[in-house]
Amino acid sequence: MTVAIRVVPCLDVDAGRVVKGVNFENLRDAGDPVELARRYDAETADEVTFLDVSASTDGRATTLEMVSRTAEQVFVPLTVGGGVRSTQDVDALLRAGADKVGVNTAAIARPELIAEIAARYGSQVLVLSVDARRTREGVTTPSGFEVTTHGGRRGTGLDAIEWVRRAEELGVGEVLLNSIDADGTTSGFDLEMITRVRSEVSVPLIASGGAGTVEHFVDAARAGADALLAASVFHFGALSVGQVKAALREAGFPVR
């Protein structure tokens, strides 16, 4: 059976508001997260992803309240990430109404966290969020792609392909691959990065960073992405979820 390509709007949330910038800088307000999630639910989005970009202690409380308000009104699966450091954090988010939880920085610091979450809640709830970029001068990795933290501001020296492969072995259920170089530029997904990661792992791959036209979504699906995530093109009305699905359907991809 061929699995349908998923179209996933992403809400980057800071202090209870959705924000969006270019390469994680010059953030502008994009609206109320619950209202936007409701709109995407009506537009037949397959999932909605919340990323708490500040992920501070008070931000976590804000996120829990926002997730529970959204879960009451929206019927598509919710993935929530940002500041998840323990199985207790996962438990709190799942109880608030999240269907899946994303891990990033804490898993880089302590990869065993992936195995602990997968053992307790199952791989199906666990998404590895990877903010990757092409290596800069003075940094080399086997693949030419480096994992970053703090919205792309800090390099780790960790090879992105090797990290994703290891995370799959530890039990992660999906990979959200975000191109830091392309993020917010609307100039297209990093197709080489998608292709390279797809050839190395078998878990579902969510492509993120750079969507600007319906053709970009089709190109990413052709490169091997199972799900296509975008923010600014949806938030500011350049494209609708329906337009993206229509283009995918026309290109021969199954969509829901």
Side-chain angles (χ1 to χ4, degrees), residues 1 21 26 40 43 69 81 89 122 125 128 136 141 146 153 168 176 181-182 205 224 231 240 244 250 254:
M1 186 183 79
N26 302 318
Y40 294 134
E43 281 188 19
R69 281 196 297 132
D89 290 336
V125 308
L128 179 75
R136 309 284 170 87
T141 65
E146 177 191 20
R153 291 186 295 278
E168 182 179 37
L176 167 52
D181 300 316
L205 177 61
S240 70
V244 172
E250 196 172 313

Side-chain angles (χ1 to χ4, degrees), residues 22-46:
V22 178
N23 306 127
F24 287 86
E25 295 178 348
N26 302 318
L27 301 179
R28 56 178 172 149
D29 189 276
D32 176 74
V34 181
E35 285 176 18
L36 276 172
R38 197 188 297 125
R39 184 179 106 198
Y40 294 134
D41 185 37
E43 281 188 19
T44 72
D46 297 298

Side-chain angles (χ1 to χ4, degrees), residues 231-249:
S232 43
V233 288
F234 293 143
H235 301 340
F236 302 118
L239 294 174
S240 70
V241 172
Q243 286 173 306
V244 172
K245 287 192 172 187
L248 288 165
R249 198 178 287 113

Side-chain angles (χ1 to χ4, degrees), residues 144-226:
F145 295 104
E146 177 191 20
V147 177
T148 71
T149 62
H150 299 79
R153 291 186 295 278
R154 293 191 197 171
T156 63
L158 192 61
D159 183 86
I161 309 290
E162 289 179 3
W163 172 229
V164 170
R165 197 188 297 130
R166 184 174 179 202
E168 182 179 37
E169 289 169 0
L170 287 166
V172 84
E174 281 187 277
V175 172
L176 167 52
L177 181 67
N178 183 46
S179 167
I180 291 295
D181 300 316
D183 182 82
T185 63
T186 67
S187 58
F189 292 91
D190 189 327
L191 302 178
E192 183 191 352
M193 190 193 294
I194 295 167
T195 304
R196 295 282 298 282
V197 172
R198 174 73 291 160
S199 69
E200 294 291 336
V201 297
S202 58
V203 294
L205 177 61
I206 308 159
S208 168
T213 67
V214 291
E215 290 78 20
H216 291 157
F217 288 89
V218 172
D219 290 343
R222 287 193 176 120
D226 301 283

Side-chain angles (χ1 to χ4, degrees), residues 29-120:
D29 189 276
D32 176 74
V34 181
E35 285 176 18
L36 276 172
R38 197 188 297 125
R39 184 179 106 198
Y40 294 134
D41 185 37
E43 281 188 19
T44 72
D46 297 298
E47 295 178 11
V48 171
T49 293
F50 285 107
L51 296 178
D52 179 350
V53 297
S54 50
S56 61
T57 308
D58 54 273
R60 169 59 58 225
T62 305
T63 302
L64 290 172
E65 190 262 340
M66 179 190 67
V67 169
S68 79
R69 281 196 297 132
T70 305
E72 287 166 8
Q73 301 178 45
V74 170
F75 301 101
V76 295
L78 299 178
T79 299
V80 184
V84 175
R85 298 179 182 89
S86 65
T87 54
Q88 289 88 347
D89 290 336
V90 174
D91 189 69
L93 286 167
L94 294 176
R95 287 176 186 277
D99 297 282
K100 293 186 274 189
V101 173
V103 294
N104 186 341
T105 308
I108 294 168
R110 199 173 68 82
E112 300 79 21
L113 178 63
I114 294 171
E116 290 165 11
I117 295 169
R120 183 170 295 192

